Amino acid sequence: MRTRNFLLIAVAILFMVNGSLAGEVPNVTKSVLLRSKEVKPYTTEVKVYKNGMDEAKFDRLIDSLFMADDHLDLDSLYEKYVDRKTVEKQRYEEYLLKIELYYNEEAEAFLSNQYLQEDVANFVAGASKYDDSLQTLMFGETKGAKNLDEVVAKLSQMKGYDVFVQGSDTAAFNAEINRYSDSKRKTFTRGVKISAAHGIVKAKVLRDWGDDNQMCELYDVESGKRIQVSDLLPSNRVKFEYGRDSVTLVKVDKIDKDGIVFYDDSTDSHIVDKNDSVYFVLTDYAKSLMARDKGYTISMTTNAYGDKIKKYHFRRVNSSPHDRDVFIPMELKGCSNTKKIRNRMLDIMFGHNKGDLDTLVIEGVKKWIPEHRDGKSMLLQLGDGLISFGFEDQSMRGNSNNIFAVFDRKTGTEISAKDLIKDKAGFMKFVNSHNLYLAGFLVDTTRIKEQSKKFGEEFRSYLRHSVAMGPFSGIKEFPTSWWFSFNKMDEIVPVEFNTPTARIFLDYADIKKYINPKYLKAMDRAVKSAGK
């Protein structure tokens, strides 16, 4: 999702919380716990208190002295009251391996592909991924596994270890994990994201490139086979115009209508587009793969709430440098009328909600970005209690061309600013009682000591990125719209209100008394989920 085009970068930093929409959770998780059959000895250092001191007294002493002296000499205190000695203990050794697969709906049918399964298995069990002890255990036992089930099966036969595999009884597995609190445990998570678009599946590890065993593979949906450098070029030794020497290409990272991204054996990336001389030696197969891309992708995703969202990603709309994402809710968990929300969003973005959804979005986005302008973009924040939607014209300053709509998640009912605030006179009086504007937030300098208690380090850090500060003379018109970002900063949960000329942020705790009781439950749920 795009972030808000706020007054200043600082505000964008604060509200860059698109995780509320994404909130991705693994589609598949396989966990294996290995526990040594016998306890193993180890040495550790323990504290021994002296001179009539014990742990509780020592902690109280430190606290009291800290309050009185900023330059406390801790070393001398420890020397006076604490000795350390080495003791031998015993504990179990445990290894917890978590295998997480993330995939979009389009890739689901490809998950059983033998090449994909083998590549994922090789990545999970691959040498150099683990420290020496676990590498010896795992790589030796799982080498040659053709799929994840074989990886788990081979680990289940480990000699000298009790093996527990997460199955349908998650509670029992978690109980086993928590059985010995003093065990020596190493936890390893191996995540792979699998996505499909324009007839190509990509499987890539959920971290940056840089490891010789890093997984980054492409597959042709039509043939079911891996897409390798040798399929796309007559030779993997290539001389680029911008390079002095030839390089050896070893991996294919991306294929779309604009070009192909390769990695060489030094993990440097190289883009072959239609302006590059290497383009003219690409195979016909390579060019046919590029031609599959229409400039956009459509995918389905499910977030942590269980919402099903259809995502459209457009690259370089109308040959501009601008990409756009469109998120359309197809099924909102706990909402009795998702269609009502969806249709309202479509009406705002495209003028109507009739006809085929894909055609409406694909053709409609083309009108968002006129020549030499930033154009329009959408925002969607999903959380508990509320759904926040925005449609902004980034070519214009101010709020006059922007539309914001907040919905009750349970009913799908749109809540306008006038509906939200019941005591409008009291609300306006409260807003206009402030006299200082701090990057969107309002402050009453006559109560600065009282208000400063809620402005912690996160808020001060936010202000350090902003220069939008100055006198606040109030607003004359009641806000035309509002926005809830599901954000939390220190103890502040900001609620944004918009007029044609201004955006102001107020703490929910300060305005709760003005809110229509009809929406308090939805607001309270949203506030409770803020920052999570």
Side-chain angles (χ1 to χ4, degrees), residues 118-177:
E118 187 173 344
D119 290 337
V120 175
N122 285 340
F123 161 68
V124 169
S128 84
K129 286 287 189 240
Y130 311 96
D131 65 13
D132 290 342
S133 58
L134 190 59
Q135 177 180 323
T136 302
L137 282 170
M138 292 196 55
F139 190 59
E141 291 293 329
T142 61
K143 189 174 182 179
K146 298 295 184 183
N147 53 57
L148 288 180
D149 288 337
E150 285 191 21
V151 170
V152 174
K154 287 176 178 289
L155 287 175
S156 298
Q157 300 171 24
M158 291 284 299
K159 293 181 179 178
Y161 287 83
D162 290 322
V163 183
F164 306 90
V165 179
Q166 182 178 6
S168 57
D169 191 347
T170 303
F173 183 76
N174 290 338
E176 201 60 54
I177 288 177

Side-chain angles (χ1 to χ4, degrees), residues 396-495:
M396 306 292 290
R397 290 188 176 274
N399 283 345
S400 58
N401 286 357
N402 299 331
I403 301 173
F404 304 107
V406 182
F407 305 90
D408 184 322
R409 171 184 270 274
K410 185 176 181 180
T411 64
T413 301
E414 183 175 353
I415 308 171
S416 70
K418 289 184 178 180
D419 291 335
L420 179 71
I421 302 299
K422 184 174 183 180
D423 181 3
K424 295 176 178 57
F427 176 81
M428 289 293 285
K429 184 177 180 181
F430 170 73
V431 170
N432 291 332
S433 69
H434 299 84
N435 58 9
L436 180 64
Y437 185 90
L438 289 180
F441 285 90
L442 302 183
V443 176
D444 179 359
T445 57
T446 65
R447 299 169 52 233
I448 194 68
K449 289 184 178 181
E450 177 184 338
Q451 289 195 324
S452 66
K453 294 178 181 178
K454 69 169 64 177
F455 298 145
E457 181 54 38
E458 290 177 337
F459 184 81
R460 290 192 290 271
S461 176
Y462 158 74
L463 290 183
R464 283 195 288 268
H465 291 87
S466 177
V467 292
M469 305 179 188
F472 178 70
S473 56
I475 58 175
K476 296 180 180 179
E477 301 177 16
F478 191 82
T480 53
S481 64
W482 69 291
W483 172 269
F484 191 80
S485 64
F486 297 94
N487 234 341
K488 186 175 183 180
M489 185 168 50
D490 299 314
E491 296 305 313
I492 301 171
V493 177
V495 183

